[in-house]
Amino acid sequence: MDSKKLSQWGEWCVCFLNPLLLLLAIYSEASKSNTILLWFGKLHPLVLHFPIVLGIAIVIYLVFFQNNKLAESTEKLVLVGNALMASMVALLGLFLSKQDAYDTDTLNLHKWGGLSIALISWGLIYLKNIATSIQKIIALTYLLVLLFFTHQGAILTHGENALSIPSPEVKLAEEVKTVDSSLTVYEKAIAPILAQKCVSCHGPDKVKGQLQLQSPELIIKGGKNGSILNGIQNEEAQILQRIHLPNTDEKHMPPIDKLQLTLEELTLLNKWVKAGGNFTKKISELAKTDSLAILAMAYKAPTKGSGDNGNNAPDLKQYNSNYLTVNYLFSGSEEIAVNFFQGSFYKIEQLKNLEKIKDKIVSLNMQGMPITKEDLAIILQFTKLKKLNLNYTKLTLNDLQPLKTITSLKNLSICGMDVNQSTLAKFLEKAPFTEINIWTNYSSEKEFQQLMAINKKVKIIIGDNLDAEIIKLTSPIIDQDSSIIVTSLDVVVKHFLKGTVVRYTTDGSDPDSLTSPIYTKKLRFTKNTILKTKAFKPGWFSSDMVQKTFYKSEIHPDTIYFVTNPDKKYPGTGAKTLIDYELGEQNFSNGKWLAYRDTTMKFVIGFKQARPLQEAHFNAFVDNGSYIFPILSIMIEGSNDGKEFKKLNEARFPSLKETDVVRENKSFSCSIPAGPAYKYYRFTLLNLKKLPTWHPGKGTPGWIFVDELFLN
Amino acid sequence: MNEFLEHGLNQNRRKFLSKLSLGIGGLALGSLMVPGIFDASNEEDLFANVLPHFAPKAKRVIYLFQNGAPSQLDLYDYKPMLQKMHGEELPASIRNGQRLTGMTADQAKFPLAGTKFNFAQHGANGGWFSESIPHIASMSDELCIIRSMYTEAINHDPALTFFQTGAQVGNRPSMGSWVSYGLGSENKNLPAFCVLLSKGKGNGQGVYSKLWNNGFLDSIHQGVQFSSGEEPVKYLTDPEFIDRGDKRKILDEIASLNQEAYNNIGDPEIVTKIQQYELAYRMQMAVPEITSLQNEPESIVKMYGPDCLAPGTYAANCLLARKLSENGVRFVQLYHQGWDSHGNLPAEIVGQCKDVDRPSAALIKDLKQRGLLDETLVIWGGEFGRTNYCQGALSKDNYGRDHHPRAFTIWMAGGGVKPGVFGETDDFGYNINSLPVHVHDFHATVMHLMGVDHEKFTFKHQGRRYRLTDVAGKVVNEIIS
């Protein structure tokens, strides 16, 4: 289309755009940013050059070429083109400003400036009817406006010194060569933090907010908002406010798209400011336990390139894993200790990786690791090794011969390795060790002496020769808590030591190592049984005998009631406790026991029809430490009417001796001689009324604890 | 605007506190699996170069704590004067008006009770040992016996708390927690601090979790109490239908949910929980090998005594302690209850010694054989001692002893201590004559052996700095080799 149509269209666009621009600019706070628009905004720096160049050209034209004017239509095209581009650029600029990363004041200036450029460019289209001298003035004004406000844009991106002559770079202190505590806290820790994280925008190159932070004077001088240390008294120093804001806050420093402060740096700045923001206080002047001093000492200013830190010792983090610990022996040491764990996760690459620090490793623990000669070859490179643990590795003594070349190796452990007199002798010759742990039973003292003589410098630590000593086995464990057989009861007998033979009897005789049956699988009992067990193993004394009685409760009374009530603290579940088939446990306060102390235990059982009884067994608890003594005596009486009782039998039981230390269930039985059957039976259980003089509770009554009655 | 600023500041202050209390050792765990938790490497660097302060002699500790207070006069401190004056009243010049404990304060008389047991000297340093502890006696050349321990506490709870946490009041971190906080665990697959309990038949006093509590340190430093049953650590194996890869994924998901919660709430316990799940996951691999005592060779079983295979016994705990320690657990603590013989002492102490004598000696022997004794510190002792006068009725063969905090005996072995006998009590075993060692001094010395300056190793809480030795304690250089 021809230029007239073009300029017409352009003019209409400009007339539309500029009011829109004004509207957007005025209400820009209200509008939300949109990702697409933001992206378009990024084109602003690209296209802004066109209207600037064109604008300058127009100004030159208007000022100097009034006499050589172009054709009207061409002139109009250029003017329209300029205005159109200026408004486009301004629009894109508006989009870009939503990105939030620019200094607000300069941004505002530039924004409105850019808008006025667009508006003036719009106005220029209609300039032709004005007097030439006024045109020139307008043109020059336009130029000034153009240059000034676009320069603001340059400041936004390049800082205050966008146009100034580049000054020599302010060299910040070189990385501190030694950890010198005569440094001030500021020099050691604060200045490097500011240098790395802040000075790029608040320094000699860029002075955002007119704030520079590269030297104490400048920090104190401050910037647009005063010194960052202002407000230090009320703990609201500006710098603290800014660095602690949530990352999403626009005032958060450093800005979110720049490198953030680490926790360590935050802590350091925090503490330094709170302590007064002192630039001259030396680390050594602080108390040794002052966290600021500790942190400042430990702080390593990051340097370019190598991962080395301030005190010339490489960071060991890269060598550590879940199954490998690599640490300096202590803070400030250069010597390293290495520990391997969990053989199933061992990888030779981890050992190979340690070659980088091979000259610093002094202690190596490879106990139980599946290593071969290949791994040993790597270990041989650790020429400063002092202590080496190879317990339970599959190497042989021959493989280890090259270890003797490590002259610093003083302590070697090779437990579990196959050794004999001759291999050991060869190994000990000219060995640099002072101590070697081999843990082999030596049957001959003479052989041991011979070995010692080979290399007098080496202390050989061997195991105990325990073969000669015979120890008694522990008793078998009868794994069945209940003593009551309802219909049948399965009993398991255990012994922890492998290879032990457990023999048992059920006929009341003691188990014999030759004739008694051997326990192989669980036993099943259906009637009253006394189980006796004993453990045997060659090379060991036989164990003590362990026995347990199992009762079949065949007879269940129809009624049961107390004559005297149990102690208030131990009422159990009433008289039923005695016939509920539930045994109380060692924790006698668990509610399953009946206890008597101040009154004598008396209760009656009844049957609907008279029947004879042969035996009564009681399950009781004895614990001398808790003042619970054995039942002193059981008396059984019979009656047919429940009122008149005839004594049937009485059984007495021995009390505890002074030296007894017991805490266990015990059963007490009383038999009833053959005789007439009764409907009712009364039981009287006596407790010790006065504890013996040797007992701490002497003179006071002892307890009896009963929980179950068995009748046959 | 100010409120938001305040909230922002608070949020981060809380984060500082929580992350710093997680401590040096704690940082090593867990951060591998959940990368975002701690910012990059800087937090470890924060403390990585600060502890140990100097070269440690002991890398690990096994503390055999005899709960209830074993009677030093019947085990280690031989006082023939008491036998000579058996039944006579305690001279006033000896007691010198010092206070009595609540239980014997009402006694009219204080008859001296000589020990019923025969004593003999053993080893190069001539330490005296009772006939009830022959095995410990045979290890005399390794033992550093301190006869001049003293404390202020006269009853069990405050005394136990004092020994374990450095103060008679509660709520302070225990020794093991401090060690875990400062040094961490050598083996990342096991906790840094483990606790094993056993009971003897003698008169027992309780133990409770306050004694291995983390106090105000992060709860990841709490002592991990192993169960006394057949399964020291329960639920080690995954259920049938879950394989390890699935478990890993489940844990990762849970960790990221927890991480979100932590970002929102900032509760440091959440971080602990994440780390504990990680530790449990790794323990599944590491623990079964350690707790399977059945695979120990017979010579080991003989050395510790066959009881060592029965779970829950002192012998089994000693064996387990050795296995934990050689696998990198920093602090293993055993408690054996039943030493509180107020009455019937001769009978009770024989039973207790039977439980304890063989395994304690075996532990030292075992460590020595493996070349681990010089870097493992073994400690044996109770919370105070017992009186030289009898509590209750005195007979020719039987007596009881009350609590005596003023002088008692503990011994240490390995880990940089000098074997020998240190400290002397008077002829009546009542007062200390030389080298008094207070609980604080004991703590200071143990810390020193682990390469930690007890005065520098502090934690700030509620406005002031705390340390294990509180405001006291001097390193006892005489016992350090």
Side-chain angles (χ1 to χ4, degrees):
Chain A
M1 58 168 87
D2 65 299
S3 56
K4 255 218 167 81
K5 265 263 171 65
L6 214 54
S7 22
Q8 191 72 335
W9 276 105
E11 203 180 322
W12 283 344
C13 284
V14 175
C15 293
F16 167 69
L17 269 176
N18 278 307
L20 175 67
L21 272 173
L22 267 171
L23 268 172
L24 280 176
I26 295 170
Y27 294 106
S28 64
E29 293 300 309
S31 58
K32 295 200 194 85
S33 65
N34 177 313
T35 345
I36 301 177
L37 293 181
L38 270 178
W39 183 84
F40 273 103
K42 288 191 190 244
L43 296 174
H44 175 77
L46 178 68
V47 294
L48 58 84
H49 299 89
F50 296 107
I52 294 181
V53 172
L54 209 48
I56 296 179
I58 289 171
V59 168
I60 295 178
Y61 169 77
L62 285 174
V63 172
F64 296 115
F65 289 86
Q66 286 289 352
N67 301 322
N68 280 343
K69 285 206 155 194
L70 295 165
E72 217 184 273
S73 56
T74 327
E75 203 183 272
K76 181 113 189 263
L77 197 58
V78 171
L79 288 170
V80 166
N82 180 38
L84 186 59
M85 278 197 275
S87 21
M88 286 299 296
V89 166
L91 187 65
L92 290 177
L94 267 175
F95 295 153
L96 185 59
S97 72
K98 286 269 152 239
Q99 198 182 49
D100 229 26
Y102 301 100
D103 181 44
T104 31
D105 303 325
T106 322
L107 182 63
N108 267 333
L109 201 56
H110 178 67
K111 182 167 78 174
W112 289 103
L115 259 169
S116 39
I117 294 174
L119 286 171
I120 299 179
S121 308
W122 186 23
L124 282 181
I125 301 176
Y126 310 105
L127 208 51
K128 52 187 199 274
N129 297 322
I130 305 177
T132 26
S133 46
I134 303 190
Q135 276 190 14
K136 286 189 193 176
I137 297 173
I138 294 179
L140 283 170
T141 324
Y142 177 58
L143 181 67
L144 285 169
V145 168
L146 185 69
L147 289 177
F148 178 70
F149 287 114
T150 51
H151 178 67
Q152 296 305 309
I155 292 179
L156 275 178
T157 46
H158 289 81
E160 293 277 337
N161 307 323
L163 277 185
S164 39
I165 299 167
S167 56
E169 223 182 85
V170 175
K171 276 229 170 355
L172 299 153
E174 285 289 312
E175 58 152 308
V176 183
K177 291 276 188 268
T178 51
V179 181
D180 190 3
S181 57
S182 69
L183 287 174
T184 63
V185 177
Y186 171 73
E187 283 170 350
K188 172 72 171 55
I190 307 300
I193 296 175
L194 295 176
Q196 200 210 10
K197 301 274 167 85
C198 315
V199 168
S200 50
C201 290
H202 294 291
D205 299 330
K206 242 195 248 184
V207 192
K208 297 252 177 166
Q210 296 157 27
L211 176 67
Q212 290 191 60
L213 294 175
Q214 70 267 32
S215 76
E217 300 76 24
L218 289 168
I219 294 177
I220 295 174
K221 178 162 158 241
K224 197 174 51 160
N225 291 331
S227 162
I228 54 169
L229 297 176
N230 273 353
I232 212 167
Q233 289 81 358
N234 351 341
E235 303 230 327
E236 277 179 43
Q238 264 235 13
I239 178 173
L240 289 186
Q241 289 188 1
R242 293 299 197 108
I243 61 181
H244 283 128
L245 283 174
N247 289 358
T248 47
D249 191 309
E250 62 174 22
K251 283 192 188 294
H252 169 82
M253 280 294 136
I256 193 58
D257 54 340
K258 305 264 191 278
L259 204 54
Q260 293 297 298
L261 291 169
T262 64
L263 185 61
E264 181 189 4
E265 291 164 348
L266 274 169
T267 322
L268 267 165
L269 285 170
N270 209 18
K271 288 198 182 295
W272 177 70
V273 171
K274 292 233 175 110
N278 191 315
F279 294 99
T280 51
K281 197 144 200 180
K282 295 205 175 88
I283 301 180
S284 50
E285 287 169 16
L286 290 167
K288 281 210 200 111
T289 46
D290 190 336
S291 350
L292 181 57
I294 296 176
L295 288 174
M297 282 292 284
Y299 177 71
K300 292 172 287 284
T303 57
K304 304 181 191 66
S306 64
D308 278 12
N309 57 28
N311 53 356
N312 292 327
D315 182 37
L316 295 177
K317 194 164 177 330
Q318 53 179 303
Y319 303 106
N320 278 282
S321 81
N322 277 340
Y323 308 105
L324 169 59
T325 8
V326 180
N327 281 319
Y328 288 108
L329 284 188
F330 60 93
S331 163
S333 165
E334 292 213 6
E335 298 181 319
I336 296 175
V338 177
N339 277 303
F340 281 88
F341 299 107
Q342 306 296 117
S344 45
F345 290 91
Y346 175 73
K347 287 192 184 32
I348 189 172
E349 289 81 23
Q350 295 180 310
L351 186 60
K352 212 164 167 46
N353 202 18
L354 296 173
E355 282 174 353
K356 296 188 206 134
I357 42 170
K358 60 182 181 193
D359 290 329
K360 301 224 179 96
I361 300 180
V362 296
S363 158
L364 176 60
N365 175 3
M366 302 214 68
Q367 177 166 313
M369 294 295 127
I371 55 177
T372 62
K373 284 210 240 190
E374 212 187 318
D375 307 86
L376 193 59
I378 303 175
I379 295 176
L380 285 169
Q381 295 183 55
F382 304 149
T383 49
K384 297 271 168 45
L385 210 52
K386 288 190 195 152
K387 187 167 180 189
L388 179 59
N389 181 342
L390 293 173
N391 290 343
Y392 303 108
T393 53
K394 297 277 188 323
L395 298 169
T396 68
L397 213 46
N398 250 336
D399 297 333
L400 298 184
Q401 288 284 5
L403 276 178
K404 298 201 278 199
T405 58
I406 303 178
T407 47
S408 57
L409 183 57
K410 294 291 161 217
N411 196 311
L412 176 66
S413 299
I414 47 172
C415 301
M417 204 172 283
D418 218 358
V419 299
N420 62 43
Q421 185 74 352
S422 58
T423 54
L424 258 179
K426 216 168 92 181
F427 188 64
L428 285 173
E429 276 172 23
K430 299 214 188 76
F433 327 124
T434 51
E435 190 177 290
I436 179 169
N437 297 287
I438 55 174
W439 195 14
T440 301
N441 291 337
Y442 257 70
S443 44
S444 152
E445 181 69 21
K446 198 174 88 178
E447 285 190 340
F448 184 56
Q449 296 292 354
Q450 279 177 347
L451 259 176
M452 298 251 278
I454 291 174
N455 187 337
K456 296 223 170 42
K457 278 191 282 180
V458 181
K459 186 164 147 201
I460 308 174
I461 300 179
I462 56 168
D464 263 356
N465 185 2
L466 289 169
D467 285 339
E469 191 184 353
I470 306 184
I471 315 177
K472 191 159 89 163
L473 284 168
T474 45
S475 316
I477 298 175
I478 299 178
D479 190 13
Q480 174 55 264
D481 287 331
S482 170
S483 295
I484 307 163
I485 307 171
V486 184
T487 36
S488 72
L489 192 66
D490 289 335
V491 177
V492 169
V493 179
K494 286 203 294 224
H495 197 279
F496 288 112
L497 187 56
K498 284 195 287 229
T500 314
V501 168
V502 175
R503 293 188 185 261
Y504 68 96
T505 59
T506 49
D507 59 1
S509 64
D510 285 353
D512 175 271
S513 60
L514 293 171
T515 54
S516 303
I518 298 178
Y519 177 87
T520 47
K521 57 180 178 24
K522 65 181 181 220
L523 306 167
R524 173 161 288 196
F525 299 132
T526 49
K527 57 181 174 47
N528 281 6
T529 319
I530 303 177
L531 175 66
K532 294 191 180 182
T533 62
K534 213 166 172 185
F536 301 91
K537 191 170 198 273
W540 297 73
F541 286 130
S542 59
S543 75
D544 287 335
M545 185 179 66
V546 169
Q547 68 179 69
K548 198 169 162 103
T549 317
F550 297 94
Y551 300 100
K552 177 110 197 286
S553 193
E554 293 164 348
I555 303 178
H556 193 90
D558 296 313
T559 62
I560 178 169
Y561 59 88
F562 285 132
V563 176
T564 56
N565 283 325
D567 188 279
K568 277 202 293 285
K569 279 197 297 223
Y570 304 98
T573 49
K576 301 199 303 303
T577 319
L578 292 169
I579 47 173
D580 62 0
Y581 293 133
E582 267 200 42
L583 285 181
E585 292 135 30
Q586 286 232 343
N587 175 13
F588 49 79
S589 4
N590 68 354
K592 298 210 181 121
W593 292 92
L594 295 173
Y596 284 81
R597 184 172 180 258
D598 299 316
T599 49
T600 304
M601 181 171 182
K602 247 188 189 163
F603 67 93
V604 175
I605 58 170
F607 297 94
K608 290 212 184 84
Q609 287 188 318
R611 59 175 305 159
L613 283 183
Q614 286 178 304
E615 269 186 321
H617 312 274
F618 286 92
N619 185 45
F621 191 67
V622 180
D623 181 351
N624 65 303
S626 304
Y627 299 24
I628 305 173
F629 269 59
I631 302 175
L632 202 55
S633 67
I634 304 177
M635 181 166 73
I636 311 182
E637 301 162 291
S639 162
N640 268 319
D641 59 358
K643 294 198 181 69
E644 294 245 356
F645 281 91
K646 179 158 170 263
K647 176 166 167 184
L648 299 175
N649 200 2
E650 189 177 347
R652 311 209 101 194
F653 304 96
S655 183
L656 290 177
K657 291 196 298 296
E658 204 177 330
T659 47
D660 283 334
V661 179
V662 277
R663 189 191 300 138
E664 60 194 15
N665 285 358
K666 257 191 152 75
S667 74
F668 298 85
S669 310
C670 181
S671 60
I672 300 165
Y678 292 94
K679 257 180 150 172
Y680 299 98
Y681 292 87
R682 182 163 69 190
F683 294 87
T684 310
L685 276 65
L686 268 181
N687 59 311
L688 199 56
K689 291 304 172 195
K690 271 202 161 105
L691 286 172
T693 45
W694 49 263
H695 194 276
K698 65 173 186 271
T700 59
W703 293 87
I704 53 168
F705 270 65
V706 183
D707 76 332
E708 204 68 22
L709 163 68
F710 304 99
L711 302 164
N712 320 68
Chain B
M1 181 58 191
N2 251 342
E3 295 88 66
F4 293 123
L5 213 57
E6 274 300 305
H7 179 72
L9 288 169
N10 283 335
Q11 179 77 339
N12 283 302
R13 200 166 26 232
R14 199 185 323 145
K15 273 193 191 157
F16 294 156
L17 290 176
S18 68
K19 284 184 184 176
L20 288 179
S21 82
L22 287 166
I24 305 96
L27 291 170
L29 294 170
S31 53
L32 291 169
M33 292 316 299
V34 189
I37 272 199
F38 302 115
D39 281 327
S41 60
N42 281 316
E43 272 210 49
E44 269 184 60
D45 294 346
L46 201 63
F47 287 112
N49 289 338
V50 181
L51 274 173
H53 295 124
F54 44 85
K57 295 204 161 66
K59 295 211 187 126
R60 293 172 288 273
V61 175
I62 301 180
Y63 193 165
L64 307 170
F65 194 83
Q66 311 304 321
N67 187 30
S71 164
Q72 78 283 10
L73 296 166
D74 296 286
L75 292 172
Y76 301 108
D77 210 358
Y78 180 46
K79 297 293 164 193
M81 176 73 81
L82 294 175
Q83 289 176 318
K84 222 167 48 177
M85 293 178 68
H86 184 89
E88 291 176 37
E89 184 70 9
L90 170 68
S93 56
I94 299 296
R95 180 159 88 84
N96 236 342
Q98 293 175 78
R99 74 168 171 169
L100 299 160
T101 72
M103 284 174 275
T104 40
D106 292 336
Q107 266 182 208
K109 303 220 219 67
F110 302 99
L112 293 173
T115 176
K116 185 178 157 207
F117 301 97
N118 293 324
F119 272 72
Q121 285 183 288
H122 292 257
N125 49 41
W128 288 93
F129 294 87
S130 139
E131 56 183 346
S132 342
I133 42 170
H135 293 95
I136 294 180
S138 70
M139 301 301 302
S140 173
D141 284 334
E142 305 291 337
L143 304 183
C144 165
I145 304 170
I146 306 171
R147 292 214 273 241
S148 49
M149 294 291 304
Y150 71 102
T151 175
E152 281 85 33
I154 54 168
N155 212 345
H156 298 280
D157 182 35
L160 282 167
T161 313
F162 201 7
F163 247 100
Q164 300 308 329
T165 70
Q168 290 191 43
V169 301
N171 302 326
R172 304 269 178 101
S174 56
M175 228 166 124
S177 296
W178 280 106
V179 169
S180 164
Y181 169 62
L183 301 170
S185 184
E186 266 189 307
N187 184 349
K188 295 184 178 65
N189 303 288
L190 292 172
F193 179 18
C194 293
V195 176
L196 306 168
L197 306 177
S198 57
K199 253 195 221 174
K201 285 226 181 65
N203 185 25
Q205 290 296 327
V207 277
Y208 22 81
S209 58
K210 172 172 56 148
L211 301 173
W212 49 89
N213 197 19
N214 51 289
F216 42 72
L217 297 174
D218 193 87
S219 44
I220 200 164
H221 303 300
Q222 187 179 42
V224 175
Q225 180 193 344
F226 280 43
S227 155
S228 321
E230 274 185 53
E231 274 185 42
V233 179
K234 296 194 201 279
Y235 314 122
L236 271 177
T237 46
D238 290 323
E240 282 171 34
F241 42 86
I242 294 186
D243 77 24
R244 200 143 165 86
D246 289 339
K247 188 76 181 279
R248 182 70 258 159
K249 282 194 222 145
I250 294 174
L251 283 178
D252 286 340
E253 285 301 323
I254 295 176
S256 65
L257 286 173
N258 280 334
Q259 168 76 328
E260 255 185 69
Y262 178 66
N263 288 339
N264 286 331
I265 309 169
D267 184 355
E269 287 295 309
I270 300 179
V271 177
T272 306
K273 210 169 186 88
I274 300 177
Q275 292 182 330
Q276 296 287 38
Y277 284 166
E278 284 304 311
L279 180 59
Y281 179 72
R282 285 199 286 264
M283 275 173 79
Q284 283 186 297
M285 290 276 104
V287 172
E289 190 190 312
I290 296 175
T291 53
S292 62
L293 303 176
Q294 302 299 325
N295 296 329
E296 293 295 314
E298 204 169 289
S299 54
I300 292 282
V301 176
K302 265 197 184 165
M303 191 163 67
Y304 282 88
D307 260 342
C308 73
L309 294 175
T313 56
Y314 181 81
N317 285 346
C318 278
L319 181 54
L320 193 52
R322 184 267 289 165
K323 297 186 80 163
L324 285 169
S325 186
E326 80 180 342
N327 272 288
V329 174
R330 193 67 79 172
F331 200 101
V332 181
Q333 191 159 39
L334 270 65
Y335 285 88
H336 190 64
Q337 300 162 266
W339 290 95
D340 194 27
S341 359
H342 286 279
N344 207 6
L345 189 147
E348 284 190 8
I349 208 172
V350 164
Q352 291 294 107
C353 288
K354 271 218 186 74
D355 287 340
V356 154
D357 178 43
R358 208 188 182 97
S360 308
L363 179 63
I364 302 176
K365 250 189 277 194
D366 201 2
L367 289 169
K368 183 151 189 215
Q369 279 167 190
R370 286 160 204 274
L372 294 174
L373 188 60
D374 54 352
E375 53 183 48
T376 313
L377 178 65
V378 180
I379 311 172
W380 191 104
E383 64 263 39
F384 40 61
R386 303 207 85 91
T387 54
N388 53 7
Y389 57 81
C390 175
Q391 175 175 11
L394 174 63
S395 78
K396 195 167 69 86
D397 288 331
N398 203 9
Y399 48 88
R401 296 194 197 276
D402 198 6
H403 307 159
H404 188 67
R406 280 174 241 290
F408 60 103
T409 307
I410 67 171
W411 55 254
M412 302 204 255
V417 290
K418 196 192 294 183
V421 181
F422 298 90
E424 289 295 325
T425 50
D426 63 20
D427 285 334
F428 289 83
Y430 198 95
N431 299 305
I432 294 176
N433 277 350
S434 73
L435 196 63
V437 178
H438 190 260
V439 179
H440 285 314
D441 302 326
F442 165 70
H443 286 151
T445 313
V446 172
M447 283 282 138
H448 182 92
L449 291 168
M450 299 201 80
V452 177
D453 181 340
H454 70 106
E455 290 179 350
K456 284 201 199 138
F457 179 36
T458 60
F459 184 83
K460 190 162 178 193
H461 173 69
Q462 288 189 332
R464 76 117 155 153
R465 283 184 186 80
Y466 286 85
R467 58 186 211 223
L468 177 59
T469 46
D470 208 12
V471 293
K474 277 199 347 258
V475 176
V476 183
N477 287 308
E478 287 87 338
I479 63 167
I480 300 178
S481 65

